[in-house]
């Protein structure tokens, strides 16, 4: 598929502009991550949601149960929602366990009007298992500082040009602080305590070293180009001096 000259010019301008922005990731082709629908350069870890029709910072997934995207601004609330749901399911299961035992001990005399309690017991177990599984998965992702989208398709960093699922992985404790904040007394309270601004994120030691090496090589290249230009200028002056003599 051929790319028109206007599209090439557009990509060149976008890449040039992206160099002035705090962006560490690129597309698989090496270009800046640009959203044609929102007409903006995507920050790191941001993705466009076709359902919400907007780009979402640190997008994890679109949740149909809450009818909203789960991302930077509400990821903590989503995890707390799952945690509260597991607690509620456990409470219902524990309080209806008595009637479940009575049903099997007194199955002949058990009142038909209390069969809904048995149904409630089974529903709470099934709901609790499914939600606790989802909660465990997101706690695992949080400990790795990885989103659901990044777990399926790792971001590509400029410094290495390779995919790296652990590019934003600091440590389990530091990763959880990115979501729940530094004050653990507020961790289970539904208030926004997440760190960073949603646009820039700290990166792993591996990526930090790669970025430093890239900056070092870029600086050396600039110094080499300046030295070559200076030598060329000196040779020109020398030729002019010889000609005048």
């Amino acid at each position: 598929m051929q790319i028109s000259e206007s599209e090439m010019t557009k990509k060149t301008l976008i890449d040039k502009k992206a160099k002035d922005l705090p962006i560490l990731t690129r597309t698989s082709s090496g270009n800046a991550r640009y959203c044609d629908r929102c007409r903006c350069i995507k920050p790191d870890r941001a993705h466009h949601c076709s359902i919400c029709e907007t780009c979402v910072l640190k997008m994890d997934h679109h949740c149909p149960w809450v009818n909203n995207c789960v991302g930077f601004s509400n990821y903590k609330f989503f995890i707390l929602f799952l945690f509260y749901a597991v607690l509620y399911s456990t409470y219902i299961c524990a309080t209806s366990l008595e009637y479940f035992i009575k049903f099997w001990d007194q199955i002949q005399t058990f009142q038909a009007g209390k069969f809904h309690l048995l149904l409630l017991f089974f529903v709470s177990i099934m709901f609790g298992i499914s939600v606790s599984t989802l909660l465990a998965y997101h706690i695992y992702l949080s400990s790795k500082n990885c989103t659901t989208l990044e777990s399926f398709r790792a971001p590509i960093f400029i410094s290495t040009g390779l995919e790296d699922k652990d590019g934003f992985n600091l440590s389990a404790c530091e990763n959880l602080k990115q979501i729940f904040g530094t004050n653990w007394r507020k961790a289970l309270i539904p208030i926004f305590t997440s760190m960073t601004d949603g646009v820039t994120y700290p990166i792993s030691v591996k990526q930090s070293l790669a970025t430093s090496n890239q900056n070092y090589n870029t600086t050396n290249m600039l110094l080499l180009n300046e030295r070559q230009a200076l030598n060329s200028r000196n040779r020109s002056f020398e030729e002019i001096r010889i000609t005048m003599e």
Side-chain angles (χ1 to χ4, degrees), residues 155-203:
I156 301 175
F157 287 83
I158 303 174
S159 55
T160 59
L162 302 173
E163 294 184 354
D164 188 1
K165 286 186 177 181
D166 296 323
F168 298 101
N169 187 4
L170 307 176
S171 67
C173 182
E174 293 298 324
N175 293 337
L176 292 175
K177 286 181 180 180
Q178 294 292 314
I179 300 171
F180 297 99
T182 56
N183 190 344
W184 294 107
R185 290 177 295 181
K186 298 180 180 179
L188 298 179
I189 303 176
I191 57 176
F192 186 82
T193 56
S194 301
M195 301 174 64
T196 75
D197 55 3
V199 177
T200 57
Y201 300 90
I203 54 179

Side-chain angles (χ1 to χ4, degrees), residues 25-96:
T25 57
R26 286 289 189 270
T27 61
S28 57
S29 60
N31 298 113
R33 300 171 61 247
Y34 181 79
C35 181
D36 292 318
R37 294 188 178 183
C38 297
R39 296 183 179 181
C40 67
I41 298 174
K42 297 179 185 178
D44 292 332
R45 316 184 79 177
H47 295 274
H48 184 88
C49 177
S50 59
I51 301 176
C52 297
E53 296 183 353
T54 186
C55 285
V56 181
L57 295 176
K58 195 185 176 184
M59 181 178 176
D60 188 87
H61 68 285
H62 182 89
C63 181
W65 305 109
V66 297
N67 192 29
N68 197 5
C69 275
V70 178
F72 170 76
S73 61
N74 59 355
Y75 189 63
K76 175 189 174 181
F77 304 115
F78 176 74
I79 293 181
L80 291 182
F81 166 71
L82 297 178
F83 177 70
Y84 297 151
V86 170
L87 287 182
Y88 187 55
S89 300
T90 304
Y91 171 78
I92 294 177
C93 182
T95 53
S96 59

Side-chain angles (χ1 to χ4, degrees), residues 45 60 75 141-148 150-151 165:
R45 316 184 79 177
D60 188 87
Y75 189 63
L141 290 179
S142 300
S143 66
K144 296 292 185 179
N145 203 349
C146 180
T147 65
T148 302
E150 291 171 351
S151 66
K165 286 186 177 181

Side-chain angles (χ1 to χ4, degrees), residues 96 110-123:
S96 59
F110 193 81
Q111 299 179 11
K114 293 184 178 180
F115 275 102
H116 66 282
L117 295 175
L118 296 179
L119 178 63
L120 182 64
F121 177 77
F122 285 111
V123 171

